Amino acid sequence: MSGKAKDILKLDLYGLLGIDSTATTKEIKKAYRQKALTCHPDKNPDNPKAVELFHQLSQALEVLTDAAAKAAYDKVCAAKKQAEERTKKLDDKRKKIKLDLEAREQQADAERERDVQITRTLEEEIERLREEGSRLLAEEQRLIREQIQQEREAQQQSGGWTHGSGVKGCTRSSVTPKLKLKWKCAKDDETNGGYSQDMLLRLLQKYGEVLNVVISRKKSGSALVEFATVKAAELALKHECGLSGNPLKISWLEGEPKVIVPESQPGCFLPSQGSLTNERDYESVVVMKMRQAAERQKLIEQMQREDEKAGAMS
């Protein structure tokens, strides 16, 4: 394309003459004469823009009064107009896409903020429940301790202590008491239904001394507990429920132990209240400790047998 053609394509020839694209040759020439008279170089010797405008008017006259040149120019103008319309539509579409994108981003921001607020509210409620649960647990344990103390005082007033110590002169059991614990637990649950050895100890020690806790490794949701005294085992059996979401089922392992009540003797000896009073008491305590160790070993062996039996059945 020549430089002259490029220059003409940059011009709006109809606009220069102030006419429509449907104007006749006669109308084109008339418009040219009117415009050319106002910007002729002879009438505007000191105005360089007048010279340029006069030159452009002359180009418009040449092109628009020639049928072939006018047809080619009109075709180029129509193509430019279509391209402008497409660009405008595309710009409108891009603008709409941009607005839609901004709207979606604003909606996403609002949803994220709502999710953050919901999560924060949940965390606050969980913390509140944890605090209230801790207070509730502390209150329940306080009530249990008070009940245990009242029962001990009642036993003292009735004339004797109940101990599984095996010391002469005190109420004792022939064997250390054992309880069997059961709870719901899936086979592959790594948390063991929420119960660990430490958890069971914390739950049961408030009733009295716990000598041993054995959790079955093959039979899910099962454990054996050995208490130092029958009374501690009885209190645990009577009052302990375990976790609220997964309660414990507690029963005697070998039936409720028989309590032996010897003849009344003055000065019943309690190992926790002072030193041993004589050699015979010391021997009794040694024998009691040895028996308890044997009972613990027996408990472990029994649990192992149950594990092996459960493994064979599965």
Side-chain angles (χ1 to χ4, degrees):
M1 184 182 293
S2 66
K4 184 177 180 179
K6 289 182 179 179
D7 292 339
I8 290 175
L9 289 176
K10 294 178 181 178
L11 299 175
D12 179 3
L13 301 182
Y14 293 106
L16 280 171
L17 296 175
I19 58 175
D20 274 340
S21 61
T22 58
T24 64
T25 301
K26 184 178 179 179
E27 290 172 339
I28 293 171
K29 291 179 179 179
K30 181 181 178 180
Y32 168 74
R33 284 193 295 269
Q34 291 176 346
K35 294 285 184 178
L37 285 172
T38 61
C39 62
H40 195 278
D42 292 344
K43 298 180 78 170
N44 301 275
D46 299 325
N47 187 357
K49 290 185 178 180
V51 176
E52 182 181 357
L53 179 58
F54 184 78
H55 177 67
Q56 292 175 351
L57 290 171
S58 300
Q59 288 179 315
L61 179 65
E62 286 179 342
V63 172
L64 297 181
T65 54
D66 185 271
K70 182 177 184 298
Y73 177 76
D74 288 345
K75 189 175 291 185
V76 171
C77 288
K80 286 177 64 177
K81 186 176 181 180
Q82 290 176 356
E84 289 174 355
E85 289 177 351
R86 286 196 302 270
T87 302
K88 185 176 182 300
K89 289 181 179 179
L90 184 59
D91 289 343
D92 291 341
K93 186 175 181 181
R94 287 173 178 169
K95 185 177 180 180
K96 184 177 184 303
I97 291 173
K98 182 181 178 182
L99 292 174
D100 290 344
L101 179 60
E102 290 176 350
R104 286 196 297 270
E105 288 177 346
Q106 291 175 357
Q107 182 179 0
D109 290 341
E111 289 176 354
R112 279 193 295 270
E113 181 62 27
R114 185 178 66 250
D115 291 343
V116 169
Q117 183 60 41
I118 291 173
T119 302
R120 186 180 299 117
T121 301
L122 176 60
E123 290 173 349
E124 292 172 353
E125 291 301 317
I126 290 175
E127 183 63 26
R128 179 184 61 79
L129 289 173
R130 183 182 295 114
E131 293 177 357
E132 291 181 358
S134 298
R135 289 194 294 269
L136 178 62
L137 179 60
E139 176 64 16
E140 290 295 326
Q141 291 182 353
R142 183 187 65 80
L143 293 174
I144 289 173
R145 288 195 298 270
E146 289 181 357
Q147 182 172 347
I148 292 172
Q149 183 62 29
Q150 291 173 0
E151 292 177 357
R152 286 177 176 173
E153 292 175 355
Q155 291 168 1
Q156 287 178 328
Q157 292 173 1
S158 65
W161 287 80
T162 302
H163 279 270
S165 61
V167 179
K168 183 180 179 181
C170 297
T171 304
R172 60 185 178 85
S173 170
S174 58
V175 295
T176 53
K178 304 177 190 66
L179 297 178
K180 187 170 185 177
L181 310 181
K182 287 187 176 181
W183 61 89
K184 292 181 180 179
C185 178
K187 186 176 181 180
D188 298 328
D189 185 0
E190 295 181 356
T191 66
N192 199 32
Y195 291 99
S196 63
Q197 188 175 43
D198 290 340
M199 170 63 75
L200 292 173
L201 281 171
R202 286 198 298 272
L203 292 174
L204 300 171
Q205 281 178 338
K206 57 179 173 282
Y207 302 104
E209 183 182 358
V210 177
L211 299 178
N212 202 15
V213 175
V214 180
I215 297 179
S216 176
R217 289 180 294 179
K218 294 185 179 179
K219 191 175 182 181
S220 301
S222 178
L224 299 180
V225 182
E226 180 185 19
F227 283 90
T229 65
V230 174
K231 192 62 184 177
E234 289 175 343
L235 290 172
L237 179 66
K238 181 178 180 182
H239 297 291
E240 186 54 48
C241 298
L243 301 175
S244 59
N246 191 4
L248 291 172
K249 293 181 180 180
I250 306 177
S251 60
W252 292 107
L253 177 63
E254 301 168 338
E256 186 173 359
K258 295 181 180 180
V259 178
I260 301 172
V261 182
E263 295 180 0
S264 178
Q265 295 185 13
C268 176
F269 172 71
L270 296 176
S272 61
Q273 294 180 345
S275 60
L276 299 174
T277 57
N278 53 52
E279 184 177 352
R280 187 171 184 180
D281 290 334
Y282 176 76
E283 291 175 354
S284 298
V285 172
V286 171
V287 172
M288 179 265 294
K289 293 295 184 182
M290 292 175 64
R291 178 173 52 78
Q292 289 178 346
E295 289 291 337
R296 280 194 294 273
Q297 183 60 36
K298 181 181 177 182
L299 183 67
I300 293 171
E301 291 173 355
Q302 183 172 353
M303 179 62 79
Q304 290 175 343
R305 287 195 297 273
E306 290 191 4
D307 287 346
E308 292 172 357
K309 183 178 179 182
M313 293 178 65
S314 62

